[in-house]
């Protein structure tokens, strides 16, 4: 049976370990990018929710609120309390 010299075996082991380390690093980098993208998208959804809540709670009975929600001034003033309640729910509710 032929045995490889210790230096050769050591060199092969070092190369194998380096290869495994590189694979792990590449995978962690790819997962890190996905996490960043996911966090940015979650932040975008949160900002959208807060904007809608602001529109419903504060701007409902203003010309901008009328334009965004296509409301008549009469309907907007009659439903202002309901819209504020819905805005509060939009801003602070958590998914089930």
């Amino acid at each position: 049976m032929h045995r490889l010299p210790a230096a050769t075996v050591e060199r092969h082991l070092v190369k194998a370990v380096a290869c495994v380390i590189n694979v792990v690093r590449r995978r962690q980098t790819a997962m890190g990018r996905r996490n960043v993208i996911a966090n940015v998208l979650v932040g975008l959804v949160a900002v959208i929710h807060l904007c809608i809540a602001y529109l419903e709670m504060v701007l409902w009975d203003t010309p901008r609120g009328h334009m965004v929600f296509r409301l008549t001034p009469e309907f907007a003033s009659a439903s202002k309390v309901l819209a504020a309640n819905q805005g509060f729910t939009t801003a602070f509710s958590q998914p089930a």
Side-chain angles (χ1 to χ4, degrees):
M1 187 171 196
H2 183 275
R3 296 187 118 204
L4 291 174
T8 304
V9 172
E10 185 178 316
R11 192 173 40 227
H12 286 296
L13 284 174
V14 168
K15 282 184 179 180
V17 168
C19 186
V20 169
I21 289 172
N22 284 334
V23 168
V24 169
R25 282 185 184 160
R26 280 195 305 257
R27 187 170 190 163
Q28 287 175 342
T29 301
M31 290 178 77
R33 288 186 190 130
R34 281 186 233 136
N35 287 342
V36 168
I37 292 170
N39 288 337
V40 167
L41 291 176
V42 167
L44 181 63
V45 169
V47 167
I48 290 170
H49 271 266
L50 291 176
C51 288
I52 292 171
Y54 181 73
L55 281 167
E56 291 173 341
M57 293 173 73
V58 178
L59 299 179
W60 184 263
D61 203 19
T62 65
R64 177 165 284 201
H66 299 167
M67 180 185 68
V68 170
F69 294 111
R70 297 182 184 151
L71 303 172
T72 63
E74 296 82 25
F75 180 79
S77 62
S79 60
K80 185 175 184 176
V81 174
L82 297 173
N85 184 33
Q86 181 60 41
F88 184 81
T89 303
T90 300
F92 297 106
S93 67
Q94 299 205 3

